[in-house]
Amino acid sequence: MSAAQKKIFLDLLHTMILVLSVILIVYISVDSINDRNFLENHDYMVFQFWVCVAFIFDFFVELWLSQRKWEFIRHRWYFLLLSIPYLNIIPLTGWLVTEEELYFLRFIPLARGALALSIVIGYISKNKFLGLLVTYSSILILVTYFAALIFYQKENSVNSGVTDYWDAFWWGCSQATTLGCDIYPVTAVGRILCCILSAMGIVMFPLFTVYATDAIQRYYSRKVDTKVNSHIVKP
């Protein structure tokens, strides 16, 4: 397979993964907001199984096409772990798993899709630093969105401040930006999510400052170079 054919094939494969990831996000969002039991939703269980199969297929195809296979495994091994259809495997094994654990297991394929989405978005950017910034920003936005979904399901029945999903989403954005919010978690899951979002915000938001500083420096550097070149050209 030539380099051009390999690129086309990988682009098609990544497009398929991204489309499946977006559909899975929409599927889980609708079920979570409408408070449906996903284990009793046969269509969802079948769909998420085949999405996981597609993720596993993508991993091994990229491994096969990679010129540095051990390096690929070292950097992407967790992609394979996140692609396993745990929800479909666990009932067949007879393992005793709590409802709380099952609830979080359903988000594992979403984590795999979110990683793929953020990495591809980062690849689109020609500037390496901008690509890194876009990748981290995508991860922060997706984690905030998923955290708000979980927060809504866990808090809406016991927290008077959470009346609909948008209250939970406002809470998630406030925590991620470290601005604070008038909605306080009352469940253990809500408190854990609060800490995770705040920590991610503290780590990732300084990147925007670094990028803005770098962009300003490059802008003024180009202006100085232009002035110097114009003086040199003049007789």
Side-chain angles (χ1 to χ4, degrees):
M1 185 182 291
S2 66
Q5 290 174 328
K6 185 187 295 186
K7 184 179 184 304
I8 293 172
F9 181 71
L10 286 175
D11 286 344
L12 290 173
L13 191 61
H14 290 156
T15 301
M16 179 191 72
I17 294 300
L18 291 179
V19 169
L20 289 175
S21 300
V22 170
I23 296 174
L24 189 63
I25 289 170
V26 172
Y27 218 135
I28 289 183
S29 299
V30 171
D31 278 0
S32 297
I33 292 172
N34 292 322
D35 200 21
R36 293 174 184 163
N37 188 335
F38 62 93
L39 291 175
E40 297 175 0
N41 188 338
H42 176 73
D43 293 337
Y44 168 76
M45 295 295 289
V46 171
F47 178 71
Q48 73 93 33
F49 170 77
W50 286 111
V51 168
C52 290
V53 170
F55 287 162
I56 294 172
F57 175 74
D58 170 66
F59 177 86
F60 283 106
V61 167
E62 292 201 49
L63 175 62
W64 173 57
L65 294 175
S66 176
Q67 294 180 345
R68 300 177 178 176
K69 291 181 171 48
W70 284 113
E71 186 175 342
F72 178 87
I73 293 173
R74 185 162 57 89
H75 289 122
R76 297 289 182 88
W77 58 269
Y78 54 91
F79 273 55
L80 181 60
L81 291 181
L82 293 174
S83 302
I84 298 172
Y86 296 102
L87 284 181
N88 301 90
I89 293 174
I90 287 175
L92 300 176
T93 61
W95 293 343
L96 295 177
V97 181
T98 65
E99 186 177 341
E100 195 88 0
E101 291 168 340
L102 281 173
Y103 177 79
F104 284 104
L105 283 173
R106 76 185 299 216
F107 285 92
I108 290 179
L110 279 182
R112 167 67 173 84
L115 282 172
L117 183 63
S118 62
I119 289 172
V120 172
I121 291 173
Y123 284 158
I124 294 172
S125 305
K126 294 181 180 179
N127 182 286
K128 186 176 182 181
F129 186 78
L130 178 60
L132 188 65
L133 177 70
V134 171
T135 298
Y136 284 161
S137 301
S138 304
I139 292 173
L140 181 62
I141 291 169
L142 290 168
V143 169
T144 302
Y145 177 75
F146 297 147
L149 277 179
I150 297 172
F151 187 81
Y152 172 70
Q153 276 222 323
K154 296 300 177 183
E155 297 273 337
N156 72 325
S157 59
V158 295
N159 192 332
S160 60
V162 183
T163 57
D164 55 31
Y165 171 73
W166 299 110
D167 289 334
F169 187 68
W170 165 250
W171 168 87
C173 292
S174 300
Q175 295 301 323
T177 54
T178 67
L179 295 175
C181 185
D182 58 350
I183 299 174
Y184 300 97
V186 298
T187 63
V189 172
R191 296 188 184 103
I192 292 171
L193 291 173
C194 184
C195 295
I196 291 173
L197 286 178
S198 298
M200 289 191 68
I202 291 170
V203 171
M204 292 189 176
F205 267 93
L207 288 172
F208 291 99
T209 306
V210 174
Y211 176 73
T213 304
D214 179 69
I216 292 170
Q217 287 177 343
R218 282 188 282 108
Y219 170 75
Y220 281 107
S221 178
R222 285 195 300 269
K223 284 190 68 176
V224 170
D225 290 342
T226 302
K227 287 182 179 179
V228 170
N229 291 333
S230 64
H231 285 303
I232 292 174
V233 172
K234 288 181 180 180

